[in-house]
Amino acid sequence: MPFSNDELDFTYPLPAYFKDQPSCYIYIYNGKVVTDPVNVPDSPTILHDGIKDVETKGIVQYIGALGEKLCYAIGLESHNEIPEEMQLVFLRDLIGQIDERMLALAGRAIQLIEFELTSKFCGRCGTLNETLEDRGKKCPKCDLLIYPRISPAIIVLVMKGDEVLLARSSHFRSDMYSIIAGFVEPGETLEHAVKREVMEEVGLKIKNIRYFASQPWPFPNSLMIGFIADYEEGEICVDGNEIIDAEWFRREELPNFPGKTSISGHLIDWFVKMADKK
């Protein structure tokens, strides 16, 4: 699944014996990834070896180990710092262009560099923050403690017999449908958030909620937690705001839906393949 790869080791802080491992770097500027266009139309290169003067860079974050190599993100503070003959690419545009390990590293790099850029000063009193060993930031004046932001969001595939609930968001194109999703609110369990979002967006009660999978979604800092649930009762009534249409669809009548870039595509594909197991 894009932005998630088990081959990467995110252990942090680094064990002492890691410190002498070979390293590589990914440049981030203004929320974009710096790539080497020499390989175009082949897979773009985002990791670079042998970068000079790394210690002089203002923003450097360890992002994980890839085999024996330690990978770091370098946050560039000026467009003039972009190495010659390299280009800026949006993270979304790298989907399908680089392998899943690289995509996971790029998504992680952008989030950690963004945290560095937006956490220099205490959000409570404005004092310059101190950096802790575990990626946290602490204000030396008021002791406010913060960590890189992760925003949990649920996404749920609702079934009624051999039908699946698909909805069209107001920002989708006219022929695109997907499943229900939304952010978890303070004080909620994930299961409560699933029930609430389905009720708010389409007016249905659901039951038998079970976990499917999760996916980091760095746009800008979400963690998508996927579920499957069964219809319990109610008639579809869209909110008309976020959701402008929703219907029950049989497997052989599905409209256009997201591909496997996102967990929504994986959930719908799972529903389609269930027919082969019956």
Side-chain angles (χ1 to χ4, degrees), residues 12-260:
Y12 189 84
L14 284 173
Y17 62 85
F18 263 44
K19 300 299 172 73
D20 296 326
Q21 299 286 94
S23 57
C24 53
Y25 303 85
I26 176 172
Y27 291 111
I28 302 296
Y29 174 69
N30 199 24
K32 299 176 185 176
V33 182
V34 178
T35 69
D36 187 346
V38 171
N39 294 316
V40 175
D42 298 327
S43 178
T45 298
I46 66 167
L47 281 179
H48 311 282
D49 296 322
I51 292 177
K52 298 178 180 179
D53 304 323
V54 171
E55 64 278 1
T56 67
K57 305 295 183 183
I59 306 173
V60 180
Q61 285 286 297
Y62 173 71
I63 55 176
L66 179 58
E68 295 184 351
K69 282 192 174 183
L70 304 183
C71 306
Y72 294 85
I74 298 177
L76 303 181
E77 300 181 83
S78 165
H79 194 278
N80 295 330
E81 294 183 61
I82 299 173
E84 291 184 13
E85 298 183 357
M86 292 192 184
Q87 62 184 7
L88 290 175
V89 179
F90 283 106
L91 182 59
R92 286 185 186 273
D93 293 335
L94 289 173
I95 298 172
Q97 299 297 312
I98 57 178
D99 69 36
E100 292 182 1
R101 298 172 306 165
M102 297 298 104
L103 200 58
L105 285 171
R108 184 172 171 85
I110 284 177
Q111 291 179 82
L112 289 175
I113 293 299
E114 179 65 16
F115 176 66
E116 281 297 303
L117 291 172
T118 58
S119 62
K120 291 181 179 180
F121 299 94
C122 175
R124 179 187 287 161
C125 69
T127 301
L128 185 68
N129 278 324
E130 297 175 344
T131 299
L132 306 180
E133 287 188 357
D134 60 355
R135 294 202 189 280
K137 300 280 188 176
K138 185 177 181 180
C139 176
K141 183 176 181 180
C142 71
D143 292 330
L144 180 67
L145 187 64
I146 60 171
Y147 287 89
R149 182 177 176 181
I150 300 173
S151 303
I154 59 85
I155 184 163
V156 56
L157 182 137
V158 180
M159 297 184 296
K160 184 171 71 170
D162 287 332
E163 296 180 312
V164 64
L165 177 70
L166 297 180
R168 186 161 73 86
S169 170
S170 57
H171 63 267
F172 284 1
R173 66 175 195 253
S174 60
D175 62 344
M176 176 65 71
Y177 283 72
S178 188
I179 53 182
I180 301 298
F183 287 102
V184 180
E185 295 189 356
E188 280 190 318
T189 64
L190 298 175
E191 294 80 4
H192 285 162
V194 169
K195 291 181 178 180
R196 174 183 54 76
E197 285 290 343
V198 174
M199 176 56 69
E200 286 179 356
E201 296 190 356
V202 292
L204 300 178
K205 287 187 177 181
I206 57 174
K207 60 183 180 180
N208 299 333
I209 298 169
R210 55 266 195 206
Y211 175 76
F212 177 79
S214 63
Q215 178 189 26
W217 191 246
F219 301 105
N221 46 39
S222 295
L223 174 64
M224 303 297 294
I225 304 112
F227 292 90
I228 301 163
D230 296 321
Y231 166 82
E232 183 173 8
E233 63 179 63
E235 296 295 327
I236 293 176
C237 180
V238 299
D239 64 8
N241 217 1
E242 275 192 65
I243 302 298
I244 57 177
D245 186 35
E247 301 177 38
W248 295 106
F249 292 92
R250 298 183 65 83
R251 290 181 180 85
E252 63 272 15
E253 301 170 341
L254 293 179
N256 288 326
F257 60 86
K260 290 187 177 181

Side-chain angles (χ1 to χ4, degrees), residues 3-16:
F3 306 110
S4 175
N5 193 278
D6 291 339
E7 292 182 39
L8 302 172
D9 183 354
F10 291 156
T11 302
Y12 189 84
L14 284 173

